[in-house]
Amino acid sequence: MTNDAISAAIPPRRSADDRGAEALTVSRVRPAYQQVADQLLALILDGSLAAGDRLPSETELSSIFGVSRSTVREALRALASRDLVETARGTTGGTFVRRVEQEQVSDYLETSLGLMSGSDDITVTQMLEAREILEVPAARRAAERRQDHHLEAMREAVDREKLTRGRGMRFQEHRNFHGIILQSSQNPLLEIMTEPVFRVLQTKFLNPDVEPRVWRSVDDDHETILEAIAAQDADAAAEAMHDHLTRLRETYLDHDVSRRQS
């Protein structure tokens, strides 16, 4: 290697102050309780600590982490505030890893999406797009995996839709039908991700003055989707769901435009 090459490979010399300042910005030191909480969270996420497992006592944790009991207590509070652990009293008590419920995750997502949509971090167009990405494949899976009790529940939902009057109840029946399709897909993750999107769209963005012809179109679409799922025609079910959601787009988008202009 030539002298020029060696010189190019060696970075220019910096002052001690420059090097010290750079080192300080590489990794910011977090509060001790947060570091303890982060390590416990990592153990929960990688499965080392499973739902129902009891954590060591505060005294044991303070010894393991080399921190005070008050620091451990604050770390456990941080985890409890995220519904990751819970404390039970008594001789068989202690701090346990919580079992996360599907509705708990769904409710959290709904609240978060509602707040983000309210501050324009997420647009109604993006939410409608996400809904299509999730629900069209869900209809396909429902056609492949549905059971008789799913079909019965869908038929009952469609029948109730046709008999129901009034804004609130029509929305509720519409949601019920789509919820049953998600259940029929037999993929709980699809339910967890899709339900919050649907609820926020329904609550915040769907035009409150939907014309009767729109509801008649919804009823017809649901009948078509149901027939495809009953026939176990996955392609037809996916296409029918896509067409249905596409037709509904204008209802949401028109309302969103008027809301932002008011």
Side-chain angles (χ1 to χ4, degrees), residues 186-225:
Q186 300 191 51
N187 185 329
L189 192 54
L190 279 174
E191 289 186 71
I192 290 173
M193 293 188 297
T194 308
E195 273 289 335
V197 174
F198 183 76
R199 290 199 298 262
V200 172
L201 283 170
Q202 173 184 310
T203 303
K204 300 188 66 173
F205 296 111
L206 191 58
N207 193 331
D209 301 316
V210 177
E211 297 180 9
R213 64 174 180 80
V214 175
W215 288 122
R216 288 194 294 272
S217 176
V218 167
D219 293 340
D220 291 342
D221 286 351
H222 286 183
E223 286 273 16
T224 302
I225 295 168

Side-chain angles (χ1 to χ4, degrees), residues 49-96:
L49 288 172
D53 284 352
R54 179 162 56 182
L55 273 61
S57 67
E58 288 182 5
T59 301
E60 292 171 315
L61 287 172
S62 65
S63 176
I64 292 170
F65 286 103
V67 296
S68 66
R69 287 184 62 183
S70 61
T71 297
V72 168
R73 199 171 297 119
E74 192 65 26
L76 295 178
R77 280 199 203 98
L79 294 175
S81 69
R82 299 171 62 181
D83 293 326
L84 295 170
V85 300
E86 58 186 348
T87 300
R89 301 186 181 280
T91 55
T92 59
T95 300
F96 298 85

Side-chain angles (χ1 to χ4, degrees), residues 17 23 62 64 88 112 149 156 183 188 199-200 218 223 235 260:
D17 288 344
S62 65
I64 292 170
S112 300
H149 68 89
E156 290 176 355
Q183 293 169 14
R199 290 199 298 262
V200 172
V218 167
E223 286 273 16
D235 289 340
R260 293 174 190 277

Side-chain angles (χ1 to χ4, degrees), residues 14 76 118 120 162 173 188 192 212 236 249:
R14 295 164 297 165
L76 295 178
D120 295 335
K162 295 177 179 179
E173 295 302 340
I192 290 173
R249 264 178 169 263

